[in-house]
Amino acid sequence: MTFVPVDFLLKEAMKGNYAVGAFNCNNMEIVQAIVRAAEEENAPVIMQASQGAIKYAGIGFITAMAREAAANAKVPVALHLDHGTSFDQVMQCLRNGFSGVMIDGSKHPLEENIALTRQVIAAARPIGVSVEAELGKIGGTEDDITVSEREAMFTDPAEAKYFVEQTGVDSLAVAIGTAHGQYKGEPKLDFERLKKIVSMVDIPIVLHGSSGVPGEAVQEAIALGVRKVNIDTNIREAFVAACRKVLDTDSREIDPRKVLGPAREAAVEVIREKIRIFGSSGKA
Ligand code: G3H
Ligand code: 13P
Ligand code: ZN
């Protein structure tokens, strides 16, 4: 099986009222963990690579690993660009066979975000690749800003409607209180805002920065219409903790397989748990 289009998976999720997990990969063990977890849960899954992951592994390695994992998978697997910020980056992913791309123009003024998103759609749609955009600024937990400053960056529902009408984008990442990375306290999601956005646009909504958001809150967001949930940090935490445990137990261990093998297992467990929370178990 080659990569399944992201929008196909999200349309199925819309029909079934669940969310597809989108998990970031940076190396072979995480690629394998994502697909193995999805198979064990019999769930559709989205593997995604950020520009940082592409820089680290090289686009050829990322795509070759993902393609190998997808080709032998018993479940539908998509490969998506996470937070692409330039047209050139998107083109590189299209040439390498990605089945979805995100163009994150959220740091630009509205009309520039619209123009960039439209440019990407014009290149991607004719070859069957769907496009995710971002409106509002999701940002990171490390951003040194107050709660009210963060709220000022939340997605405006009327603007979301206008953005979707102007671009015809396939899915939309929204800022409703989540942030990338490890949270200092418990994140508070603006469900009223989410409800309004969902009532005004009829495309799948994407939740970023979902690691560390309590399962019930993620499930409430899914009940309101979130159809793609992005997870990176929780995988990183489990992966590195497992490596650390091996090395703490035997600081003389020099076999990378003995360090990275348990890390891969730990990643499988985290991803399986997320898939169950998202309601996509058994939906393959
Ligand atoms: O949304 C950001 C993802 O966690 C990717 O992070 O740019 O460090 O690969 P990264
Ligand atoms: P976390 O690292 O906070 O899970 O966010 C992942 C993400 O949004 C990737 O785009
Ligand atoms: Zn993100």
Side-chain angles (χ1 to χ4, degrees):
M1 200 184 282
T2 48
F3 301 126
V4 174
V6 170
D7 69 329
F8 172 78
L9 297 184
L10 299 188
K11 279 181 186 146
E12 289 297 301
M14 276 179 111
K15 285 186 223 156
N17 296 320
Y18 59 89
V20 182
F23 302 99
N24 286 69
C25 60
N26 289 281
N27 61 11
M28 181 191 77
E29 284 76 10
I30 296 177
V31 166
Q32 291 173 329
I34 295 167
V35 172
R36 193 183 309 160
E39 285 182 324
E40 286 173 11
E41 292 297 327
N42 193 30
V45 77
I46 299 168
M47 243 186 292
Q48 53 186 15
S50 68
Q51 294 181 148
I54 291 169
K55 194 166 166 214
Y56 171 74
I59 187 125
F61 276 99
I62 284 281
T63 16
M65 289 188 294
R67 188 169 282 118
E68 176 66 15
N72 295 304
K74 296 179 194 72
V75 294
V77 178
L79 180 63
H80 186 68
L81 168 66
D82 186 35
H83 292 284
T85 53
S86 75
F87 183 72
D88 288 351
Q89 180 76 62
V90 168
M91 289 307 290
Q92 191 191 26
C93 292
L94 296 183
R95 282 195 292 269
N96 278 274
F98 280 49
S99 65
V101 289
M102 175 183 190
I103 182 70
D104 178 357
S106 63
K107 68 172 192 293
H108 300 297
L110 178 64
E111 294 301 331
E112 279 176 41
N113 189 357
I114 289 172
L116 179 61
T117 303
R118 287 174 72 134
Q119 188 191 15
V120 164
I121 291 170
R125 187 159 292 158
I127 55 168
V129 176
S130 55
V131 179
E132 172 184 341
E134 177 172 324
L135 189 65
K137 294 190 184 73
I138 294 159
T141 50
E142 72 286 356
D143 296 346
D144 195 17
I145 54 171
T146 63
V147 172
S148 57
E149 280 167 337
R150 188 174 295 286
E151 279 175 12
M153 305 190 308
F154 282 6
T155 308
D156 176 68
E159 211 165 87
K161 183 176 185 316
Y162 175 73
F163 185 89
V164 171
E165 282 168 359
Q166 292 298 309
T167 58
V169 74
D170 299 291
S171 62
L172 187 66
V174 295
I176 56 162
T178 59
H180 295 107
Q182 291 179 312
Y183 290 95
K184 292 177 191 101
E186 191 169 298
K188 294 263 170 296
L189 273 55
D190 188 342
F191 293 116
E192 280 310 310
R193 183 179 298 269
L194 175 60
K195 209 184 282 177
K196 236 182 238 164
I197 295 168
V198 171
S199 74
M200 293 172 83
V201 305
D202 61 358
I203 58 169
I205 299 298
V206 183
L207 193 67
H208 282 243
S210 308
S211 295
V213 179
E216 308 79 63
V218 174
Q219 285 176 332
E220 189 166 346
I222 294 169
L224 291 173
V226 162
R227 297 291 167 246
K228 173 174 179 275
V229 181
N230 286 13
I231 297 283
D232 187 359
T233 297
N234 283 158
I235 301 174
R236 295 178 181 201
E237 289 167 341
F239 195 90
V240 173
C243 293
R244 193 171 282 130
K245 192 172 162 201
V246 173
L247 294 170
D248 283 350
T249 308
D250 182 0
S251 62
R252 289 165 309 166
E253 180 57 69
I254 56 135
D255 186 343
R257 296 167 298 189
K258 300 243 169 70
V259 180
L260 297 173
R264 181 171 56 190
E265 296 311 313
V268 169
E269 287 318 306
V270 171
I271 296 165
R272 285 191 69 174
E273 190 188 325
K274 297 292 178 188
I275 287 172
R276 289 195 288 264
I277 290 172
F278 304 161
S280 53
S281 284
K283 306 290 188 191

